[in-house]
Amino acid sequence: MIGEASPSLLRTVLIGVALIGLLVLFFQNQPAPVISGWGGSGSATIGERAGTIRGEANPIGAGLGLVTVPQGSPLGTVQAVMTQSYGVGSHAPAEVWGGVDLAVDSDGDGQADPAATMGTPIYATHSGVASVRPDTWPAGNYLAIVNDEYKTAFAHLERYAVEDGEQVQVGQVIGYVGATGQASGPHLHYEVWQRGVNTNPLDFGASTRR
Ligand SMILES: [Zn+2]
């Protein structure tokens, strides 16, 4: 009797183990969760709420690893407008001051909303080392994120969320929008430099185009 029961028991155990194995494989192969909270995909644009990326973990703080090319909006998924475009007005000449000015448009009327803009979190658009320069003129509280190829610069910050020399990752909150330095109202001045050459941030997914 025991000789007959044991193979049956063994079969049951083996089938159980196989089922558990299949379940583990199933869940391991599920796609990573869609992360929202910043405008991190290359096609994400400022001015629309398309800023989601796929990642392996929460990008706020850690988990995505090194993303060396700037991508997406530094204001995340909030509705934003460009209040000064690249290479015009105070942004000329582009080689020196080239950047875009961004502000929050909380009601979607295409106009900057100063109250909603002030204090909005700013997200790193790539990994790098933080360079913190408070109280400069005309950039006010100035911040740059630098890696081997790219530098992104952020001006007029209300305050910082990182320290000078800190290694930051894409999606990490690095500061908050303000109106320090030469600014008529709260906005984020955002620059992208590639190997020392000023480039248009719109080429890196920061755009108000719809
Ligand atoms: Zn500006």
Side-chain angles (χ1 to χ4, degrees):
M1 289 303 162
I2 290 172
E4 286 174 328
S6 291
S8 169
L9 180 63
L10 185 62
R11 243 189 335 265
T12 305
V13 169
L14 284 175
I15 290 169
V17 168
L19 282 173
I20 291 169
L22 283 172
L23 279 172
V24 168
L25 281 174
F26 176 78
F27 283 110
Q28 279 182 341
N29 285 326
Q30 292 307 291
V34 174
I35 308 293
S36 61
W38 74 292
S41 99
S43 61
T45 58
I46 292 167
E48 64 182 6
R49 296 172 185 275
T52 58
I53 58 167
R54 288 187 178 277
E56 295 169 353
N58 190 332
I60 306 303
L64 279 179
L66 297 179
V67 174
T68 56
V69 181
Q71 55 183 263
S73 166
L75 294 184
T77 57
V78 298
Q79 186 90 358
V81 290
M82 193 163 59
T83 55
Q84 174 110 270
S85 53
Y86 181 76
V88 301
S90 62
H91 293 168
E95 305 78 49
V96 181
W97 303 112
V100 294
D101 287 345
L102 306 170
V104 174
D105 172 20
S106 56
D107 58 5
D109 67 353
Q111 303 296 314
D113 181 341
T117 302
M118 183 64 89
T120 295
I122 303 163
Y123 301 92
T125 51
H126 61 95
S127 56
V129 175
S131 176
V132 170
R133 298 289 179 267
D135 298 324
T136 68
W137 188 263
N141 290 331
Y142 171 90
L143 171 65
I145 305 296
V146 181
N147 64 31
D148 288 343
E149 183 166 3
Y150 288 97
K151 176 179 82 173
T152 46
F154 309 81
H156 315 303
L157 272 58
E158 177 189 44
R159 57 195 170 95
Y160 299 99
V162 292
E163 294 178 355
D164 191 46
E166 184 175 332
Q167 175 73 47
V168 305
Q169 289 189 310
V170 62
Q172 182 175 341
V173 176
I174 51 179
Y176 299 90
V177 178
T180 55
Q182 189 174 41
S184 57
H187 72 278
L188 174 65
H189 172 92
Y190 175 54
E191 297 175 1
V192 176
W193 299 75
Q194 182 178 14
R195 296 193 187 283
V197 177
N198 186 276
T199 60
N200 190 339
L202 303 194
D203 293 340
F204 295 88
S207 170
T208 60
R209 289 169 299 197
R210 291 168 185 266

